[in-house]
Amino acid sequence: MEWEIGAECLACVLIVLVLCFSREKFYTQMPQTRLYYACLGFALFSTLLNIATVVLMGVPGLLPRWLCYTLNMLYFTFFPLLEAALTYYMAYLIHGRGPCFTRVAICLGVMLAAALAVVFTNPFTGWLFYLDAAGTYVRGPYNRLLYALLVACCLLLVICYIKQFRMASRAIHRMMATLPLLAMVLGTVQYLFPPVMMTGFIPACILLVLFFNFQSQRINTDFLTGLSSRSALWYAAGTCLRSGQSFYCVAVCLRHFGDVNKQFGHTGGDAVLRQVSAYLEALGRRAVACRFSGVEFVLLFPGMDAAGYAVLEKELSERFAAPWQAGSVCCRLDAGVAGIACPRFGDTAERLTAHLEYAIQQLKLPGAPEALSFDTEMEQRFSRRVALRDVVVRTLSGQAAGVAYQPIYALDADTPCMAEALLRLCGADGTPVPTADVVSVAEEMDLIVALDWMMLEQVCAFFGAHRELDGCAVSVNFSARQFLAPDAERRVLDTLERHGLAPTRLKLELTERVLAGDIRRVRAVMEALAARGVEFYLDDFGTGYSNLSSVVSLPLQYVKVDRSLLEAATNGGGGALLLRAVVETFRAMGRGILLEGVETPEQYALACTLRADRLQGYYLARPMPGEELCALMRSGARRTRRT
């Protein structure tokens, strides 16, 4: 019989091409990648054996009989191993490691053992093949048993797929819609046309499909830089942690890289990124270089200690101090470097990820150093930040927030005319947490707007529910982000209506920072709400953001002069003249004056001398819970001045 081996030769070419285009450092290979390489190896070796045996069968007597028989036996040994390896790999993709995968492995082991038993007994039974007296290859009566193994493996995969159907990814669905059918079709062609050798071509086609779906470099490496993906980084870290090996994770953050893109365009910026990536990848033979995100990179150095990191930090500092040349692009880069010793500060993937993200965030802060090392103090700051994040989450769920109200008095009145709502927060252990710290973290988490609206809702609900507060207005901070909300006016008015609170009783405080933003949008919102009776106060005047033209152009009823000006006015020097000038200027503009931070008899006397319209401070009343404010308003008690 004449054998056609063209398909087998093509199979070898395909397998070699896949091997060339799927190279990875062995240290970064994940389990599925190593399984895939094992399948490639089995496929290439069994296909080469098949080609060799077919060529030898065409020239009887070229090699000794025993050598021809041994080559055929090797082929029949490796082919079931290839089938089992491919099935094992695809079952791993479908199930991952787990009880179901273990059962699949047991079934495969049983089927493979049976197939190999047939192979190893062939010298005595001749079931698969034998060589006649002339040394010619003759098929045995059960030569097709290996195809039965292929069918059994396909059925096993189909069963696995059906059990995991709902949890399978799109890539798994594509694989199962293609591979079993492809294997069956090619197997049928081989069965119907025995002279056409396709036993290597079938697995080669399967491996090619798997490569495009699961092993492509676009999945395991970054497309732009060619560096490893995050998954490869975490696998390398997990390998070190499981083996007990110490290592360093080094984050490299390119700061102000947007300036490079602006100057040279994104094409030039990409060229610079590739240069940086090539440099970072060449730093260590066993190092894993990963593009963590955007212009942030992470290097993992197995076995590195603090001394090694110090040397590396110096090398990185010297290199980034020099210019980078990428074609016609020449620029300098501002890079920050952070080192994390593991497993001390990264004994799990989750903890290491959190610490890396925090370290990169610190490198981006204004005035951040060129290099830092994650130490115990930094870990404590990180833990503090995590606790603050928990406070934010608990606050938004209604578990950690409270509101205190500080009475505000008209100059000649003895009962409050209004109160400022102040957010009071507590940690999980009940200890008070500085509101400014929580607000900072809420801004990082992009939850500050939700926190602001929650505050407005809670305050309006309280004042709307207590009739004894009908003669008292309330002021609430209104942030720049709230002004930018497209439905800001409607949300404020809906909140007032929902709780039965008249718009004239709500005073919204905006900081000078708001005036540094979209002033047109701010003015539009203010005018719409002012038309319904809501008043606006400019808070903390004197902290450096606003200008008088902005104040004049906006519908502001009151200006709250920052406590720092009142302190300076009572400490001698020219502070008193400055404060008097501010008060008289705003009064001439038709704005009311509210002096905050009145905490001493001297400050109170000065405020009376200046005839400020309203006063607020500890000298008059401290912030108090809402129930105490209600009691104060019910009793009509006169204000108490502290000495």
Side-chain angles (χ1 to χ4, degrees):
M1 180 184 294
E2 294 292 331
W3 305 94
E4 175 58 54
I5 61 171
E8 297 297 88
C9 294
L10 178 60
C12 286
V13 173
L14 290 176
I15 295 170
V16 171
L17 286 174
V18 172
L19 280 169
C20 291
F21 283 95
S22 63
R23 291 175 298 172
E24 288 185 35
K25 289 183 178 180
F26 184 78
Y27 197 75
T28 68
Q29 291 172 11
M30 293 177 288
Q32 73 175 56
T33 304
R34 296 184 181 181
L35 285 173
Y36 183 76
Y37 283 165
C39 293
L40 285 174
F42 282 132
L44 182 60
F45 194 63
S46 63
T47 305
L48 289 173
L49 281 172
N50 195 26
I51 294 172
T53 54
V54 170
V55 170
L56 290 174
M57 283 188 291
V59 190
L62 180 64
L63 292 178
R65 179 189 177 93
W66 66 268
L67 184 55
C68 292
Y69 195 92
T70 300
L71 290 175
N72 278 281
M73 282 291 293
L74 285 174
Y75 166 73
F76 278 97
T77 300
F78 271 88
F79 189 70
L81 287 173
L82 169 61
E83 292 177 323
L86 273 173
T87 306
Y88 187 84
Y89 170 75
M90 286 187 278
Y92 181 87
L93 293 178
I94 295 171
H95 281 289
R97 294 193 181 276
C100 292
F101 178 71
T102 302
R103 288 192 287 270
V104 170
I106 293 172
C107 291
L108 269 178
V110 172
M111 291 191 295
L112 180 61
L116 292 178
V118 174
V119 172
F120 293 147
T121 58
N122 186 73
F124 310 103
T125 63
W127 284 353
L128 299 176
F129 73 94
Y130 61 91
L131 301 182
D132 61 14
T136 303
Y137 175 88
V138 180
R139 282 183 170 174
Y142 300 107
N143 185 268
R144 306 296 172 85
L145 279 177
L146 297 185
Y147 294 104
L149 177 62
L150 175 62
V151 172
C153 289
C154 289
L155 290 175
L156 186 60
L157 285 176
V158 170
I159 294 171
C160 292
Y161 174 62
I162 292 173
K163 292 190 66 175
Q164 293 289 110
F165 184 82
R166 292 185 177 181
M167 301 175 62
S169 65
R170 292 177 62 186
I172 295 295
H173 288 307
R174 288 196 301 267
M175 177 185 80
M176 294 307 299
T178 307
L179 293 188
L181 181 62
L182 177 65
M184 291 293 185
V185 170
L186 294 179
T188 301
V189 171
Q190 172 73 95
Y191 183 82
L192 296 176
F193 303 98
V196 180
M197 300 297 295
M198 301 186 69
T199 51
F201 185 70
I202 294 173
C205 289
I206 293 173
L207 288 165
L208 189 62
V209 172
L210 291 172
F211 172 73
F212 287 133
N213 276 282
F214 299 99
Q215 297 299 149
S216 168
Q217 280 194 342
R218 295 187 67 178
I219 296 174
N220 292 309
T221 63
D222 177 65
F223 180 72
L224 174 64
T225 63
L227 297 181
S228 298
S229 64
R230 280 194 183 201
S231 57
L233 175 73
W234 301 144
Y235 180 72
T239 300
C240 290
L241 291 172
R242 286 190 297 272
S243 64
Q245 184 181 26
S246 62
F247 62 97
Y248 252 83
C249 266
V250 181
V252 178
C253 175
L254 303 184
R255 299 177 288 210
H256 314 297
F257 193 80
D259 296 340
V260 178
N261 286 330
K262 290 178 182 177
Q263 183 176 358
F264 301 103
H266 286 280
T267 301
D270 290 347
V272 173
L273 284 180
R274 283 191 286 268
Q275 286 279 40
V276 173
S277 301
Y279 166 73
L280 294 177
E281 190 173 30
L283 281 175
R285 184 177 63 84
R286 295 189 67 207
V288 180
C290 157
R291 187 184 183 191
F292 198 68
S293 67
V295 291
E296 299 152 8
F297 305 87
V298 173
L299 309 171
L300 186 149
F301 291 89
M304 178 176 280
D305 55 13
Y309 171 66
V311 173
L312 175 67
E313 180 186 299
K314 181 180 179 182
E315 180 180 345
L316 287 170
S317 176
E318 292 174 351
R319 177 62 189 91
F320 279 99
W324 292 82
Q325 183 79 41
S328 60
V329 177
C330 183
C331 62
R332 292 183 181 273
L333 299 176
D334 179 15
V337 179
I340 300 180
C342 300
R344 181 181 178 187
F345 297 113
D347 54 356
T348 65
E350 293 77 12
R351 186 168 176 238
L352 177 57
T353 303
H355 287 174
L356 275 172
E357 291 175 345
Y358 181 69
I360 290 172
Q361 185 183 58
Q362 298 305 298
L363 290 174
K364 292 180 178 179
L365 295 177
E370 289 187 1
L372 58 85
S373 184
F374 200 96
D375 53 16
T376 303
E377 181 182 349
M378 194 170 177
E379 186 177 35
Q380 290 173 350
R381 293 200 304 269
F382 170 75
S383 299
R384 171 67 174 169
R385 180 174 173 272
V386 171
L388 291 173
R389 288 172 67 95
D390 178 66
V391 171
V392 172
V393 173
R394 292 174 60 247
T395 298
L396 292 175
S397 64
Q399 300 178 35
V403 179
Y405 298 92
Q406 186 170 25
I408 297 174
Y409 293 86
L411 181 63
D412 297 321
D414 289 317
T415 56
C417 61
M418 61 181 289
E420 180 182 3
L422 303 169
L423 187 63
R424 291 293 183 258
L425 301 170
C426 294
D429 58 356
T431 57
V433 178
T435 303
D437 294 347
V438 177
V439 168
S440 175
V441 172
E443 288 176 343
E444 292 176 9
M445 299 171 68
D446 202 24
L447 293 175
I448 187 63
V449 174
L451 198 62
D452 290 335
W453 287 116
M454 183 211 71
M455 177 73 169
L456 179 64
E457 182 79 25
Q458 192 167 337
V459 169
C460 289
F462 182 80
F463 267 69
H466 292 80
R467 299 275 72 91
E468 58 267 45
L469 298 176
D470 286 349
C472 184
V474 63
S475 66
V476 183
N477 286 321
F478 204 72
S479 69
R481 297 281 294 276
Q482 284 175 290
F483 272 107
L484 296 177
D487 59 346
E489 307 97 325
R490 182 185 59 80
R491 288 191 69 172
V492 172
L493 295 174
D494 286 351
T495 303
L496 291 169
E497 182 179 358
R498 187 163 52 252
H499 299 292
L501 197 65
T504 54
R505 295 179 61 197
L506 178 63
K507 320 299 178 184
L508 295 179
E509 297 188 7
L510 58 149
T511 64
E512 294 182 81
R513 181 175 298 180
V514 173
L515 306 183
D518 187 350
I519 195 66
R520 291 183 180 179
R521 174 60 184 165
V522 171
R523 183 182 295 109
V525 174
M526 291 178 68
E527 290 175 349
L529 290 175
R532 301 293 295 273
V534 177
E535 293 187 349
F536 289 90
Y537 286 42
L538 179 62
D539 194 16
D540 298 331
F541 179 84
T543 53
Y545 283 96
S546 67
N547 55 65
L548 292 179
S549 63
S550 297
V551 176
V552 171
S553 66
L554 295 175
L556 291 164
Q557 281 69 42
Y558 275 81
V559 174
K560 296 183 70 173
V561 179
D562 187 67
R563 67 179 63 243
S564 60
L565 295 182
L566 187 58
E567 289 177 1
T570 55
N571 288 336
L577 292 175
L578 175 61
L579 180 59
R580 184 180 297 275
V582 169
V583 171
E584 292 178 352
T585 299
F586 282 122
R587 182 172 289 128
M589 293 179 181
R591 305 293 192 266
I593 304 298
L594 193 160
L595 289 181
E596 57 181 349
V598 180
E599 298 182 353
T600 65
E602 293 79 14
Q603 291 174 346
Y604 175 74
L606 178 59
C608 292
T609 301
L610 294 172
R611 302 302 297 170
D613 300 284
R614 294 181 178 178
L615 308 177
Q616 176 184 2
Y618 277 27
Y619 180 70
L620 304 171
R622 291 178 176 272
M624 60 186 65
E627 293 72 16
E628 290 187 19
L629 179 64
C630 291
L632 178 65
M633 295 301 295
R634 280 195 302 267
S635 66
R638 301 171 65 85
R639 63 187 177 192
T640 56
R641 297 171 188 142
R642 301 172 182 273
T643 59

